[in-house]
């Protein structure tokens, strides 16, 4: 059967690069981008685009039927920092969009689903270092609660209805094509832009706040490798731990100073510090390595 892919949330930080990579791999007209707003020129000009609110089941079903969609990547979400400001909006967006997509798969209108989870599923009682795949979770943020609930629902739909849903717990992602929005790890992207435009950056996290991070190329490769793996190798149907590196803002500043020696950083921690403090410092992704051969390529130098 031929593959037709729908990306929901295609204009966001991950969605943009995922769409462009999938278009290169499967052909522009087989990868339909959708979002509630238009995105970058490269995204808009390289293939089909639909304005779509993923919380609207009928609208989603119509797009899926129109393009004969076989796979959906649901990348739309409200991230950790914004979700603390708008808890109900975050819950409604993050959960209803997931239910809509899982229900389409349950009704056999699509064959396969990718849904991103996050290190935010972990909480203050989780072991901080080399956090295992299966451990205490107890997330303390709105976003983390929605991601943990989402994971439970994904596994439930797999076990109960045989829905082929696959997921990764992304760490903070560093990229340059599209800015992140509303996350706690966003500092690791903003810092590069401010270093170049102003030669300085005021960080909203403390200098020694170490968090799991990954470059976007690795995250996209992991996503495609997971989606292309044989179904029998996918043993975790909630979401896989995924890891590349961990660093804190001070280490990141030193890495930038190797290229821009005059770059300056100072620290004004805000409410996002508490979110970061509730998350792991490093992640054990040995299940992903064992089950579908995951290996990260790029680390911070
Ligand atoms: C965020 O900071 O909210 C996200 C995430 C780690 O899921 N980047």
């Amino acid at each position: 059967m031929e593959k037709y892919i729908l990306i929901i949330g295609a204009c966001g930080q991950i969605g943009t690069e995922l769409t462009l990579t999938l278009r290169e791999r499967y052909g522009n007209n087989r990868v339909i981008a959708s979002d509630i707003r238009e995105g970058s020129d490269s995204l808009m000009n390289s293939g089909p685009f639909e304005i779509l609110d993923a919380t609207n089941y009928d609208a989603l079903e119509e797009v899926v039927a129109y393009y004969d969609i076989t796979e959906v990547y649901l990348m739309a979400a409200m991230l950790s920092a914004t979700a603390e400001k708008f808890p109900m909006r975050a819950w409604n967006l993050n959960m209803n969009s997931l239910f809509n997509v899982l229900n389409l798969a349950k009704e056999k209108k699509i064959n396969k689903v990718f849904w991103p989870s996050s290190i935010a599923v972990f909480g203050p009682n989780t072991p901080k270092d080399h956090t295992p795949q299966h451990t205490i979770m107890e997330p303390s943020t709105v976003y983390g609660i929605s991601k943990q609930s989402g994971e439970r629902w994904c596994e439930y739909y797999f076990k109960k209805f045989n829905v082929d849903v696959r997921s990764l717990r992304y760490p903070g992602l560093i990229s340059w094509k599209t800015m992140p929005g509303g996350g706690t790890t966003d500092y690791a992207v903003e810092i590069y832009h401010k270093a170049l435009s102003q030669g300085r950056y005021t960080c909203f996290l403390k200098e020694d706040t170490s968090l799991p991070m990954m470059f976007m190329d690795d995250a996209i490769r992991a996503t495609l490798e997971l989606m292309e793996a044989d179904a029998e190798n996918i043993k975790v149907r909630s979401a896989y731990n995924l890891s590349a590196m961990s660093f804190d803002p001070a280490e990141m500043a030193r890495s930038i100073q190797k290229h821009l020696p005059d770059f300056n950083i100072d620290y004004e921690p805000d409410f996002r510090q508490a979110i970061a403090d509730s998350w792991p410092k490093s992640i054990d992704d040995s299940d992903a390595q064992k089950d579908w051969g995951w290996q990260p390529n790029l680390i911070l130098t």
Side-chain angles (χ1 to χ4, degrees):
M1 189 196 219
E2 286 183 320
K3 227 192 244 287
Y4 283 91
I5 298 173
L6 174 66
I7 322 282
I8 299 171
C11 301
Q13 187 199 10
I14 311 176
T16 301
E17 300 207 28
L18 184 62
T19 305
L20 296 174
T21 309
L22 286 167
R23 282 183 173 162
E24 260 170 39
R25 184 172 296 216
Y26 295 112
N28 288 349
N29 290 327
R30 290 189 181 273
V31 180
I32 319 310
S34 74
D35 208 307
I36 49 167
R37 59 183 164 88
E38 294 194 349
S40 65
D41 287 349
S42 57
L43 182 106
M44 300 304 296
N45 298 334
S46 58
F49 178 83
E50 293 285 338
I51 293 284
L52 179 64
D53 170 3
T55 63
N56 180 337
Y57 182 84
D58 293 340
L60 176 60
E61 192 183 27
E62 205 176 301
V63 170
V64 164
Y66 182 78
Y67 288 100
D68 286 324
I69 297 295
T70 55
E71 289 182 18
V72 172
Y73 290 68
L74 171 54
M75 311 311 288
M78 196 181 286
L79 299 188
S80 56
T82 313
E84 290 305 300
K85 296 183 181 155
F86 307 106
M88 285 323 295
R89 264 168 60 191
W91 179 258
N92 289 338
L93 169 63
N94 295 0
M95 300 314 295
N96 292 343
S97 59
L98 177 60
F99 277 121
N100 286 346
V101 173
L102 289 176
N103 285 330
L104 279 177
K106 177 186 160 193
E107 288 156 23
K108 308 282 174 240
K109 293 183 174 153
I110 52 176
N111 303 331
K112 220 190 239 187
V113 176
F114 178 81
W115 172 80
S117 187
S118 159
I119 54 165
V121 292
F122 299 115
N125 299 323
T126 303
K128 289 245 175 259
D129 296 304
H130 306 291
T131 301
Q133 176 70 42
H134 301 286
T135 185
I136 299 168
M137 297 174 93
E138 301 178 0
S140 55
T141 63
V142 173
Y143 174 66
I145 294 168
S146 76
K147 287 295 177 189
Q148 199 202 14
S149 310
E151 285 194 8
R152 298 288 89 231
W153 281 112
C154 287
E155 193 183 275
Y156 183 88
Y157 270 68
F158 170 72
K159 287 194 171 147
K160 198 95 180 168
F161 309 119
N162 208 19
V163 164
D164 189 354
V165 53
R166 304 173 184 206
S167 179
L168 296 169
R169 291 173 182 153
Y170 288 131
L173 297 180
I174 305 169
S175 68
W176 58 270
K177 286 191 184 155
T178 306
M179 289 298 278
T184 302
T185 58
D186 294 9
Y187 90 83
V189 176
E190 284 171 17
I191 192 171
Y192 286 109
H193 289 269
K194 294 282 184 198
L196 285 173
S197 64
Q198 296 173 15
R200 54 169 301 105
Y201 179 61
T202 300
C203 186
F204 55 76
L205 297 182
K206 289 194 280 194
E207 59 183 304
D208 59 351
T209 311
S210 192
L211 287 170
M213 296 279 184
M214 180 177 279
F215 287 114
M216 186 60 84
D217 285 359
D218 266 357
I220 300 294
R221 185 169 56 80
T223 308
L224 268 49
E225 285 177 9
L226 175 71
M227 286 299 272
E228 286 165 6
D230 288 342
E232 65 265 24
N233 293 338
I234 311 296
K235 310 283 184 220
V236 174
R237 291 293 182 158
S238 50
Y240 276 99
N241 276 8
L242 190 69
S243 165
M245 58 190 160
S246 292
F247 56 78
D248 62 31
E251 285 170 290
M252 188 154 214
R254 282 197 292 277
S255 144
I256 292 176
Q257 278 157 351
K258 287 185 196 158
H259 305 275
L260 300 172
D262 293 334
F263 172 65
N264 254 308
I265 184 162
D266 58 8
Y267 302 92
E268 281 177 19
D270 64 16
F271 73 101
R272 288 168 280 193
Q273 185 64 46
I275 302 177
D277 287 343
S278 77
W279 290 350
K281 292 184 190 306
S282 62
I283 298 286
D284 173 355
D285 64 2
S286 45
D287 280 46
Q289 297 188 24
K290 178 166 53 74
D291 291 357
W292 45 276
W294 162 246
Q295 279 300 323
N297 272 339
L298 301 169
I299 53 163
L300 188 74
T301 52

